[in-house]
Amino acid sequence: FQAIIGSRIRGDKGQFFTPKELVECMVRIIKITSNSVIIDPACGTGGFLTEAYKYAKESEYIDENSIRLIGIDKDRDMADMALETTEIISQGNSVVFNRNSLEILSDKSDLNNLLECADRILTNPPFGTKIGITDDSLLRMYEFGYNWSYSEKEKTWYKLNTLVKSQAPQVLFLELCVRLLKLGGKMAIVLPEGIFGNKSLGYIWAYLKKHGRVLA
């Protein structure tokens, strides 16, 4: 399905399917264990979730029946496909929601009970400046929805009181994923190279180091 689907889905919404070899690699690295809640908040057709369950099923040390898969995607076609594929492989241990994941932080969301729920997160969020988030109501929910300033004197980043005009979706998704993780949870995420080397985005790394450890 991913190989033949047209460009209408593949690029114009910032959606890029993750190569199967990379999915397999990320699943192996993150080391799934029994009783894991595995979430992909930008699940597409469910590639990460199905591979994670397959990995658990093939391991003699993991009880695959104790694994719970949770997918979220705002594209109805993607969500439907993910539900079908995960239901087939997990035999009922999965659920997929057709929602905008970035709205989970809202008190009005029926999914905010997922916060601090994930043992493992595997995801490749939508990214690109052309689909930047400009909705003030969304930006206010996120630390990364605000402008940040670096103090040379104190060698630290400070969040300002002003919202950014636009924020790249992958930046907000990164914060969302951190907030979905329970204490001790682990995340493997695909991100564009600019996040790692752009000095103006240093506040992102300050946030990550404050709330966890970057292992690789």
Side-chain angles (χ1 to χ4, degrees), residues 31-36 54-67:
K31 295 182 179 178
I32 294 164
T33 60
S34 294
N35 301 302
S36 289
K54 176 185 174 184
Y55 175 89
K57 192 170 184 178
E58 293 176 350
S59 172
E60 60 180 303
Y61 304 106
I62 304 174
D63 175 12
E64 72 270 18
N65 294 316
S66 71
I67 301 295

Side-chain angles (χ1 to χ4, degrees), residues 6 9 42 47 59 61 86 90 102 110 118 129 137-138 155 184:
I9 295 296
S59 172
Y61 304 106
T86 56
S90 72
L102 293 178
D110 60 342
T129 56
S137 63
L138 272 180
K155 303 298 181 183

Side-chain angles (χ1 to χ4, degrees), residues 7 9 54 136 144:
S7 59
I9 295 296
K54 176 185 174 184
D136 286 0
F144 294 164

Side-chain angles (χ1 to χ4, degrees), residues 85-134:
T85 55
T86 56
E87 279 286 296
I88 290 171
I89 192 170
S90 72
Q91 299 180 339
N93 288 337
S94 68
V95 59
V96 177
F97 299 98
N98 177 213
R99 304 280 196 285
N100 181 353
S101 295
L102 293 178
E103 297 176 351
I104 289 176
L105 298 188
S106 170
D107 294 336
K108 299 178 181 179
S109 172
D110 60 342
L111 299 183
N112 59 22
N113 63 315
L114 296 180
L115 297 175
E116 300 182 22
C117 170
D119 295 285
R120 299 290 186 269
I121 287 180
L122 289 150
T123 192
N124 181 357
F127 56 83
T129 56
K130 293 182 179 179
I131 55 170
I133 307 301
T134 58

Side-chain angles (χ1 to χ4, degrees), residues 8-58:
R8 180 184 69 83
I9 295 296
R10 294 183 71 98
D12 63 345
K13 300 178 183 178
Q15 296 167 301
F16 299 94
F17 294 118
T18 315
K20 182 173 173 55
E21 294 80 5
L22 179 58
V23 172
E24 294 173 350
C25 177
M26 290 169 65
V27 168
R28 289 196 301 270
I29 288 174
I30 208 167
K31 295 182 179 178
I32 294 164
T33 60
S34 294
N35 301 302
S36 289
V37 175
I38 304 170
I39 298 180
D40 184 349
C43 67
T45 57
F48 278 114
L49 298 176
T50 53
E51 185 61 35
Y53 198 87
K54 176 185 174 184
Y55 175 89
K57 192 170 184 178
E58 293 176 350

Side-chain angles (χ1 to χ4, degrees), residues 169-206:
Q170 66 269 16
V171 174
L172 297 186
F173 263 95
L174 180 55
E175 180 182 341
L176 172 65
C177 288
V178 171
R179 296 170 74 169
L180 287 171
L181 285 172
K182 64 172 57 172
L183 188 65
K186 291 183 179 180
M187 165 174 59
I189 184 171
V190 178
L191 293 170
E193 187 177 9
I195 285 186
F196 303 100
N198 190 332
K199 289 184 178 181
S200 67
L201 300 179
Y203 64 92
I204 295 176
W205 291 100

